[in-house]
């Protein structure tokens, strides 16, 4: 039994507080404090400064959905947006342990787009970059084109795990098993690997999972979910603190299931409509009014405080 | 009084009709001198038309009108439709020679589904 099982009564209160704060979110950065996998909002920045991470913590940054190669009306300058994010990351008071990109690095899986991304990522002042593929990175030849540039962790596979700062990190590929008329899947081979991987991890170890498509069903008609994520979440459920970081839907959303907190991140390319949004029959890039785009794109800083098993999430829009 | 058509008459009428049809067919081919074509627009996350019927020998061309990439991919592995990722304005063509029902989808958006019925 994990220590978090004793805190059951506090979870609902924290969750209500978190949801209440979420409702009040207006685009400024929000500091999320995650205890036992349950997010709790600590406060917002209103003066435009970047929130610093809690002291004595492992901090990393999540970026997502850069779509390098996209140049249409919704954002003619995705490289410029990425560079603004990099400037923010390089200006953080505490240098992050690593940056993770949760997929759709490229727009069309083209070698020149992956190559451009790899070159620009070198401008980030960080020791290590982790990535997981998005479906835009797996268009023509599965993830093979992606792996030629970003096989840093999986040694020929697009899924992997590693331990850092007392946390077990897992990168998953849920963009390879596309079948007509269904949501994407992790697939049996990867689920078997996940089961074996988790067998060696103690249940008190905080777990952070990276995957491109949300690991819960947000809006099935648009494919915003992973068809076999229930099997993966069942494997993760015994652990005391599980945080799942996704991309794909180009907006910040979260869901909490017991000790498992799932978060999607903002894009660095263009906004998408909210799930099932009236007037949008399909999840196509949204062109917003001039001056609005930078409020809808952004980065996320994540901190794990040692000994307290807390994760703090700070979502910061490019305009701040 | 209605005239009843005798057997030789039917045969003669039928023969002349078939001759005319053959003549028309050959005229069509000699004038066009190329395969018939049909277009499918990919727009607002859908194949338009998503359901079409063509004759064998028809060349169908899909053109992506969306801001995001799509593919034209046969439902079953090893199927005949195997486009690369199509950027805005890109096209993909396939000439159907065998009758049948060709179901396809977009691998980037698996809920986008289309079918081409090839009928003689």
């Amino acid at each position: 039994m994990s220590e978090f099982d004793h805190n059951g009564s506090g979870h609902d209160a924290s969750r209500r507080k978190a949801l209440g704060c979420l409702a009040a979110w207006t685009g400024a950065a929000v500091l999320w404090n995650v205890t036992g996998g349950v997010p709790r909002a600590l406060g917002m920045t209103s003066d435009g400064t970047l929130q610093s991470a809690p002291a004595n913590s492992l901090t990393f940054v999540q970026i997502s959905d850069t779509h390098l190669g996209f140049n249409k009306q919704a954002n003619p300058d995705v490289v410029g947006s990425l560079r603004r994010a990099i400037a923010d990351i390089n200006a953080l008071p505490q240098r992050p342990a690593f940056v993770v990109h949760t997929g759709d690095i490229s727009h069309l899986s083209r070698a020149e787009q992956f190559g451009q991304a790899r070159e620009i990522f070198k401008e980030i002042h960080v020791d290590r970059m982790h990535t997981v593929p998005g479906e835009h990175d797996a268009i023509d030849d599965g993830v093979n084109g992606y792996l030629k540039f970003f096989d840093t962790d999986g040694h020929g596979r697009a899924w992997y795990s590693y331990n850092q700062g007392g946390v077990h990190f897992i990168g998953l590929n849920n963009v390879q098993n596309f079948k007509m008329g269904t949501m994407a899947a992790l697939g049996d081979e990867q689920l078997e690997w996940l089961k074996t991987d988790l067998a060696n991890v103690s249940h008190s170890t905080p777990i952070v999972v990276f995957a491109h498509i949300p690991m819960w069903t947000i809006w099935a008609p648009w494919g915003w979910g992973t068809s076999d994520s229930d099997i993966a979440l069942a494997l993760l459920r015994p652990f005391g603190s599980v945080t799942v970081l996704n991309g794909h839907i180009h907006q910040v959303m979260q869901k909490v299931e017991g000790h498992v907190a799932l978060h999607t991140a903002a894009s660095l390319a263009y906004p998408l409509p909210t799930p099932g949004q009236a007037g949008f029959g399909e999840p196509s890039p949204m062109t917003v009014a001039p001056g609005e785009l930078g409020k809808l794109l952004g980065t996320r800083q994540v901190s794990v405080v040692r000994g307290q098993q807390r994760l703090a999430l700070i979502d910061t829009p490019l305009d701040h | 009084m209605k005239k009843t058509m005798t057997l030789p008459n039917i045969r003669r009428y039928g023969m002349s009709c078939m001759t005319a049809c053959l003549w028309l067919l050959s005229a069509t081919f000699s004038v066009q001198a190329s395969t018939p074509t049909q277009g499918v627009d990919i727009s607002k996350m859908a194949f338009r038309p998503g359901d079409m019927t063509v004759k064998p020998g028809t060349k169908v061309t899909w053109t992506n009108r969306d801001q995001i990439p799509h593919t034209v991919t046969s439902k079953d592995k090893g199927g005949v439709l195997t486009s690369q990722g199509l950027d805005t304005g890109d096209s993909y063509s396939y000439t159907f020679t065998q009758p049948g029902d060709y179901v396809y989808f977009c691998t980037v958006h698996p809920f986008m589904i289309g079918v081409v019925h090839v009928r003689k």
Side-chain angles (χ1 to χ4, degrees):
Chain A
M1 188 195 276
S2 80
E3 62 191 275
F4 300 104
D5 291 336
H6 303 294
N7 300 329
S9 61
H11 284 160
D12 282 348
S14 298
R15 188 177 174 182
R16 274 194 298 276
K17 196 172 171 188
L19 292 172
C21 194
L22 178 65
W25 186 64
T26 56
V30 180
L31 177 63
W32 292 95
N33 185 316
V34 183
T35 306
V38 179
R40 185 164 62 90
L42 291 181
M44 296 184 220
T45 57
S46 54
D47 60 356
T49 57
L50 294 171
Q51 283 266 12
S52 52
N56 189 30
S57 63
L58 174 91
T59 298
F60 63 94
V61 169
Q62 178 188 8
I63 61 173
S64 201
D65 295 84
T66 45
H67 288 263
L68 290 181
F70 182 84
N71 57 8
K72 303 300 183 297
Q73 195 181 10
N75 185 353
D77 185 19
V78 293
V79 169
S81 297
L82 173 56
R83 286 213 160 101
R84 287 185 64 190
I86 290 173
D88 277 352
I89 295 166
N90 290 345
L92 286 171
Q94 182 183 339
R95 183 167 165 166
F98 60 84
V99 171
V100 60
H101 190 307
T102 46
D104 282 358
I105 297 168
S106 75
H107 194 55
L108 282 155
S109 305
R110 302 228 166 113
E112 66 268 23
Q113 294 168 355
F114 289 132
Q116 183 185 33
R118 194 167 64 180
E119 286 306 304
I120 295 175
F121 292 161
K122 287 177 184 169
E123 298 168 15
I124 307 174
H125 298 162
V126 72
D127 294 332
R128 196 163 176 80
M129 182 99 191
H130 300 281
T131 61
V132 289
E135 79 282 4
H136 284 250
D137 302 320
I139 289 179
D140 290 334
D141 188 20
V143 292
N144 291 333
Y146 156 87
L147 285 172
K148 283 177 188 158
F149 290 86
F150 295 104
D151 184 17
T152 48
D153 294 292
H155 306 290
R157 290 182 309 203
W159 60 80
Y160 55 86
S161 69
Y162 61 94
N163 296 301
Q164 190 168 353
V167 179
H168 188 65
F169 292 95
I170 299 170
L172 297 177
N173 165 17
N174 59 1
V175 300
Q176 201 163 6
N177 291 299
F178 280 111
K179 293 193 180 99
M180 192 178 85
T182 64
M183 293 188 295
L186 293 157
D188 293 342
E189 185 188 359
Q190 191 172 196
L191 287 168
E192 196 56 41
W193 170 86
L194 180 63
K195 188 178 177 182
T196 307
D197 180 73
L198 290 172
N200 302 317
V201 182
S202 79
H203 286 186
S204 60
T205 304
I207 293 182
V208 177
V209 178
F210 311 130
H212 177 66
I213 296 178
M215 299 256 304
W216 80 104
T217 302
I218 294 176
W219 192 247
W222 291 357
W224 286 6
T226 306
S227 60
D228 54 2
S229 61
D230 282 352
I231 300 171
L233 292 177
L235 295 170
L236 292 163
R237 209 159 280 134
F239 293 83
S241 170
V242 180
T243 306
V244 181
L245 300 176
N246 301 129
H248 188 59
I249 67 167
H250 297 212
Q251 58 199 290
V252 174
M253 291 189 74
Q254 44 263 307
K255 185 189 183 187
V256 179
E257 290 182 351
H259 299 156
V260 183
L262 306 100
H263 305 263
T264 61
S267 162
L268 284 172
Y270 49 80
L272 287 173
T274 55
Q277 185 176 345
F280 291 86
E282 65 287 319
S284 293
M286 287 174 70
T287 302
V288 295
E292 292 298 307
L293 184 61
K295 298 173 186 169
L296 298 165
L297 310 180
T299 59
R300 167 178 286 159
Q301 188 184 353
V302 185
S303 300
V304 186
V305 181
R306 285 179 204 194
Q308 298 183 40
Q309 296 190 312
R310 286 176 169 178
L311 272 71
L313 275 66
I314 306 168
D315 285 302
T316 307
L318 289 184
D319 288 348
H320 58 79
Chain B
M1 185 181 161
K2 193 177 177 184
K3 191 181 174 186
T4 309
M5 201 178 261
T6 59
L7 191 61
N9 273 344
I10 292 172
R11 190 174 290 155
R12 195 176 305 134
Y13 180 79
M15 285 296 284
S16 62
C17 182
M18 197 185 289
T19 309
C21 284
L22 280 171
W23 179 82
L24 270 173
L25 266 175
S26 63
T28 306
F29 279 114
S30 62
V31 168
Q32 291 202 337
S34 62
T35 50
T37 58
Q38 290 275 353
V40 178
D41 270 357
I42 312 174
S43 71
K44 295 187 187 251
M45 302 286 284
F47 299 105
R48 301 169 194 272
D51 187 321
M52 72 189 323
T53 303
V54 301
K55 300 257 186 225
T58 305
K59 179 183 181 182
V60 178
T61 299
W62 288 262
T63 305
N64 183 12
R65 311 285 185 198
D66 271 347
Q67 288 190 57
I68 49 175
H70 297 295
T71 74
V72 178
T73 307
S74 288
K75 176 189 173 187
D76 300 310
K77 277 192 173 174
V80 297
L81 301 172
T82 55
S83 85
Q84 298 275 293
L86 304 174
D87 200 357
T88 309
D90 285 355
S91 290
Y92 168 75
S93 296
Y94 182 80
T95 302
F96 293 91
T97 55
Q98 301 298 317
D101 297 314
Y102 297 83
V103 181
Y104 62 91
F105 72 117
C106 165
T107 59
V108 190
H109 309 99
F111 287 81
M112 290 172 58
I113 297 168
V115 61
V116 179
H117 308 283
V118 182
R119 298 278 186 272
K120 282 184 178 169

